[in-house]
Amino acid sequence: MARLVKTQVEMEGRYEERWTLVEEDVTPEYADGEELAVVGHPHTRVSAAARVTGGARFISDIDLPGMVHAAVLRSPHANARVASLDRAAAAALPGVRAVIGPGDVPERDGRPVLTDAPAYAGGAVAAVAADTPDQAERALEALAPGWEPLAFVVDLDEGLARQEFTEDPEETSRGDVDAALAGAAAVIEAEYRTPTQIQTPLEPHCAVAAWDAGGLTVWSSTQGIFAARDELARAFGLEPDDVRVVCEYMGGGFGGKQGCGPEGYMAAELARRAGRPVRLVYTRRDEHTTAGYRAPTVQTYRIGADADGKLVGVEGSAVIGVGVHGWVFPVLNPAEALYECAHVRSMVLPVKLNLGFSNAFRAPGVMEGTFGFEQALDELAEELGIDPLEIRLRNPAAIEQASGKPYTSKHLEACQRRVAELAGWKERDALRSDGRVRRGMGLASQIWWGGGGPPAHATVRLGKTARPTLVCGFQDIGTGTMTASAVVVAEALGVPVGHVRVQAGDTARSGYGPTSGGSMTLASVAPAVRTAAHDVRTQLLDLAADMFEIAASDLVLADGHVSSRDGTLRHEITEITSKLGNSSLVGHGSRGPNPDGMRVNTFGCQAAQIAVDTLTGAVTVEKVWAVHDVGRIVNPMGAMSQVTGGVLQAVGFALSEERVVDPTTGTVVNAGLEDYKVPTIADTPEIVCEFVDSPDPHLALGIKGLGEPPIIPTAAAIGNAFAHATGVRVRQAPFTPRRVLEALAG
Ligand code: MOS
């Protein structure tokens, strides 16, 4: 029996009412405190062998018979009009199969994909497809565009002064902040600046498109195959199932590859005109100029507390350099939600600039907002003479204050206490010295969403060899969802994880799976996967009960065997499945809604120990302790790997990553991995990682998401450690040697 119910779904803090199909589900919850056989134990990636042997086929590896190659003409100017474009000359060159220009590609989100008015350097004007990449490049030259450069604004302060916004500035408030701050024992004011951080996936944005009688197939390096399918279907006037989107392996997205990017639209249009499959791969330069970024911010805080360190008022404003367009992410959410405070006012100003569009980057808004707010809070603690850990413990938020709703679970204070214990917080002053190298320790907290939700569907089938196949509509963007899903199947069917085959990343093969964003993939998918596997388990036990003439309820399935509870009967699962012949047991599962009237959030705390070389200005992050509350941990090895990646990206944000724009030309001057510095293995601190690992009592399997939480508090903890080490605050990330030396020089 299935019903349609209205439920609230969440993605990165945006809530939406949606009709949801709810299917009857008799799968029992894992018992309280039960030690599970497979879930919660470490497992290597199911795709490990394919990845290390080169067998894993990434999108840019796709090579189809007759496939031709695309190249894109991009504006070198920060703002321009294209007065002329010689398409005929390009089309006449050898090997050229298609030439497209402004107006030729369906719009994406109501905006042209190719335009004769590119409003940033990197804006796409035209594209070609040719037999070889060289021929495509020559065709671009033949287009010989006539540029008319226009005035531009790329500086955030200048943009703010001009009051040109991508959408109206928005103020939200509760209580009376001005009165509250007037009565506070201490008030600090602080301004923090955060950089433009590029997602820098190792695999750039890319797509291969091919048309046939059945419609359009696009191999897309995407975080959302179904979102990409629906976008392409709308754009090209097709039924959703006339579009097949495939993403089996992809080299990272980190937020910048949601849905189908312009590359998919251009590849599809070129392929349609060329009558051949087309591959379009962004250059590394494109990746830095026109594929999105974490928007830069200027955050200003006024925070006040009473003499005991109880927060009385929080005021924050965030100026965000959105670029030509982009989502406005919740930069001030940490200030609004992390601690209890009755009087809060926040103001967001999304500034329009002649720079590429910004988009999501792992914990968009919240990560950069935490960098500012969690340092401002340390400044307040210092003013009051209260230990930074202590001021956090004195201001716990019992509920989600914006909605007044309770959290399904919250163990933030346990994370804070555990981090302090692991890091030796009480003795942290012993790290300090007045030598050339100064050491210090700081900490910061994390709040994020990540409850997942419907819809998500899964199918499990089991045949004669008792090696189950899971078919599911998610895509594994490198996070380990395939492995965690295999773990859930293995738990239900009592087979080794390595015997579970996972087929994901193909819209033609499965029911819907969610976009991998908002830390929601596993929390959304795992319940459907478990239900599908449980369905097969029930069928298998019924067959065994028949065969062995025993009640199914007296049988257990584990270790590859069906056994009776009293231990008198024990048979390999294959004794039953081998009799299936060419039949298979097929189970189906879908994701139900989360409980109404509650908020699902993840929490955590990290501490960082750093060393500052006062002679060179070099900062080294020596050690990071991370404790997160993300509900049940399905695969501790995969979870640890997520934390490592998040911490490392935050180390880059804090110390070295920054898009630099030449104010005189409006162009990005470090559009490549030589000059845009992402951390390497040599910059990787020792990372100590623990989880509260307490299943959320209100969620199926007790799972909350982990994709974003680990990147959130690290940079703020590093900033606080810097102040502890040196007594000086650098208010602008990244802490480059120049900024460090200037700050130390006072
Ligand atoms: Mo979003 S940064 O893709 O979770």
Side-chain angles (χ1 to χ4, degrees):
M1 253 281 288
R3 293 169 300 132
L4 279 166
V5 297
K6 262 210 152 157
T7 185
Q8 199 171 49
V9 292
E10 173 270 323
M11 163 76 167
E12 298 187 336
R14 295 189 292 272
Y15 294 89
E16 175 183 306
E17 288 277 325
R18 213 189 269 164
W19 283 103
T20 306
L21 180 76
V22 179
E23 296 181 281
E24 190 174 26
D25 192 346
V26 294
T27 312
E29 204 33 77
Y30 296 144
D32 252 358
E34 180 189 353
E35 172 74 7
L36 298 169
V38 193
V39 168
H41 301 275
H43 300 281
T44 52
R45 279 177 196 266
V46 292
S47 58
R51 286 173 188 274
V52 298
T53 57
R57 199 164 63 147
F58 289 79
I59 304 305
S60 41
D61 296 330
I62 303 287
D63 197 356
L64 302 175
M67 187 184 80
V68 297
H69 303 268
V72 182
L73 175 71
R74 298 187 178 282
S75 171
H77 300 287
N79 198 10
R81 292 204 70 82
V82 183
S84 60
L85 204 58
D86 197 345
R87 294 189 197 204
L93 287 179
V96 175
R97 303 276 174 175
V99 179
I100 55 177
D104 288 344
V105 181
E107 290 193 339
R108 177 171 179 264
D109 290 338
R111 293 185 189 87
V113 170
L114 298 174
T115 175
D116 57 7
Y120 65 94
V125 173
V128 300
D131 290 351
T132 69
D134 275 355
Q135 288 171 333
E137 286 302 324
R138 257 173 262 142
L140 288 192
E141 285 164 29
L143 284 168
W147 305 107
E148 282 176 10
L150 303 169
F152 60 85
V153 181
V154 293
D155 180 74
L156 186 51
D157 297 297
E158 194 186 333
L160 178 65
R162 288 164 55 108
Q163 300 273 297
E164 266 210 52
F165 301 108
T166 54
E167 45 196 280
D168 287 339
E170 200 180 306
E171 186 179 284
T172 50
S173 72
R174 59 175 184 256
D176 184 344
V177 177
D178 297 313
L181 289 176
V187 177
I188 62 97
E189 283 190 52
E191 181 190 285
Y192 285 89
R193 284 178 180 253
T194 64
T196 300
Q197 188 186 23
I198 313 282
Q199 291 92 344
T200 54
L202 269 190
E203 179 183 53
H205 287 66
C206 54
V208 177
W211 295 80
D212 63 19
L216 170 65
T217 300
V218 175
W219 288 261
S220 169
S221 183
T222 179
Q223 293 172 232
I225 51 171
F226 279 92
R229 177 195 70 162
D230 290 356
E231 257 188 79
L232 287 165
R234 265 197 311 276
F236 289 91
L238 300 167
E239 274 295 298
D241 270 341
D242 290 340
V243 180
R244 177 183 178 195
V245 176
V246 185
C247 178
E248 207 184 348
Y249 288 95
M250 59 98 87
F254 310 114
K257 289 181 182 169
Q258 290 193 21
C260 180
E263 72 280 4
Y265 287 67
M266 288 188 275
E269 184 61 38
L270 285 168
R272 203 174 65 75
R273 293 182 185 227
R276 289 177 171 245
V278 169
R279 180 203 279 169
L280 195 160
V281 183
Y282 275 18
T283 64
R284 187 52 64 181
R285 181 172 187 83
D286 294 341
E287 212 49 48
H288 283 254
T289 53
T290 187
Y293 51 87
R294 185 190 302 282
T297 68
V298 181
Q299 303 165 35
T300 315
Y301 294 99
R302 251 189 345 138
I303 311 177
D306 67 17
D308 294 330
K310 184 81 196 71
L311 287 178
V312 297
V314 173
E315 183 183 49
S317 84
V319 179
I320 305 173
V322 173
V324 283
H325 62 82
W327 280 98
V328 178
F329 291 107
V331 175
L332 295 172
N333 185 266
E336 294 161 352
L338 202 39
Y339 305 109
E340 186 176 82
C341 186
H343 306 285
V344 177
R345 182 166 61 216
S346 49
M347 177 90 171
V348 173
L349 303 109
V351 173
K352 188 172 187 168
L353 296 168
N354 292 106
L355 289 163
F357 57 85
S358 55
N359 55 11
F361 184 169
R362 206 170 188 172
V366 170
M367 184 266 196
E368 50 272 33
T370 300
F371 175 81
F373 178 68
E374 279 285 89
Q375 289 193 76
L377 187 68
D378 261 41
E379 295 194 55
L380 182 64
E382 192 181 340
E383 182 86 14
L384 288 160
I386 297 176
D387 179 88
L389 171 65
E390 190 55 35
I391 200 170
R392 287 168 172 82
L393 291 171
R394 285 184 195 176
N395 290 283
I399 55 164
E400 203 228 25
Q401 298 165 86
S403 63
K405 292 178 179 170
Y407 293 118
T408 53
S409 63
K410 179 184 180 227
H411 301 286
L412 175 58
E413 293 73 32
C415 295
Q416 290 162 335
R417 290 206 170 86
R418 183 61 182 149
V419 156
E421 191 175 74
L422 288 170
W425 179 258
K426 279 204 195 88
E427 293 78 44
R428 71 180 186 131
D429 282 345
L431 292 169
R432 302 184 72 189
S433 76
D434 47 15
R436 169 176 157 182
V437 175
R438 312 274 171 88
R439 282 196 168 72
M441 184 189 292
L443 61 74
S445 305
Q446 168 256 315
I447 185 168
W448 179 255
W449 300 274
H457 297 276
T459 304
V460 171
R461 53 176 204 262
L462 189 73
K464 52 195 162 200
T465 59
R467 295 191 174 218
T469 295
L470 165 67
V471 185
C472 197
F474 63 82
Q475 52 291 306
D476 192 327
I477 64 171
T479 53
T481 310
M482 284 173 84
T483 307
S485 300
V487 164
V488 171
V489 172
E491 180 73 44
L493 293 178
V495 299
V497 175
H499 285 190
V500 182
R501 179 185 300 272
V502 182
Q503 296 185 340
D506 185 343
T507 60
R509 203 147 62 176
S510 64
Y512 180 89
T515 288
S516 290
S519 303
M520 70 173 178
T521 319
L522 191 61
S524 300
V525 161
V529 170
R530 184 179 60 176
T531 297
H534 185 79
D535 187 348
V536 170
R537 174 195 175 93
T538 303
Q539 297 175 45
L540 185 62
L541 287 179
D542 282 346
L543 295 180
D546 252 13
M547 257 175 82
F548 305 124
E549 297 179 329
I550 179 174
S553 55
D554 288 333
L555 292 173
V556 290
L557 202 51
D559 278 339
H561 288 80
V562 179
S563 320
S564 61
R565 288 186 197 280
D566 64 10
T568 56
L569 178 146
R570 184 172 160 87
H571 297 276
E572 286 190 11
I573 293 174
T574 45
E575 274 189 51
I576 304 147
T577 57
S578 62
K579 299 189 172 56
L580 284 170
N582 284 330
S583 294
S584 27
L585 306 179
V586 180
H588 172 72
S590 67
R591 173 61 151 90
N594 291 340
D596 274 335
M598 305 186 91
R599 286 294 196 230
V600 188
N601 283 73
T602 55
F603 302 91
C605 184
Q606 293 183 7
Q609 176 186 314
I610 69 164
V612 182
D613 186 327
T614 56
L615 190 70
T616 63
V619 177
T620 308
V621 181
E622 297 182 323
K623 201 161 174 179
V624 171
W625 296 265
V627 180
H628 291 272
D629 161 21
V630 292
R632 181 191 300 280
I633 299 298
V634 173
N635 176 15
M637 191 181 287
M640 170 72 201
S641 160
Q642 280 288 68
V643 172
T644 303
V647 166
L648 202 55
Q649 278 179 318
V651 166
F653 175 94
L655 300 186
S656 61
E657 291 185 44
E658 180 172 33
R659 180 189 67 185
V660 179
V661 177
D662 179 346
T664 63
T665 62
T667 56
V668 179
V669 297
N670 60 345
L673 288 172
E674 299 86 2
D675 299 316
Y676 180 95
K677 301 285 187 191
V678 295
T680 69
I681 195 70
D683 306 301
T684 307
E686 181 185 345
I687 299 168
V688 177
C689 164
E690 278 192 14
F691 299 99
V692 172
D693 202 6
S694 166
D696 187 304
H698 296 283
L699 299 175
L701 284 86
I703 297 175
K704 300 193 274 187
L706 175 60
E708 280 146 317
I711 200 177
I712 292 172
T714 323
I718 290 168
N720 286 333
F722 188 96
H724 181 240
T726 63
V728 173
R729 288 232 169 234
V730 182
R731 293 169 189 282
Q732 183 166 8
F735 300 168
T736 56
R738 174 182 149 184
R739 287 196 184 116
V740 167
L741 293 174
E742 283 175 357
L744 292 177

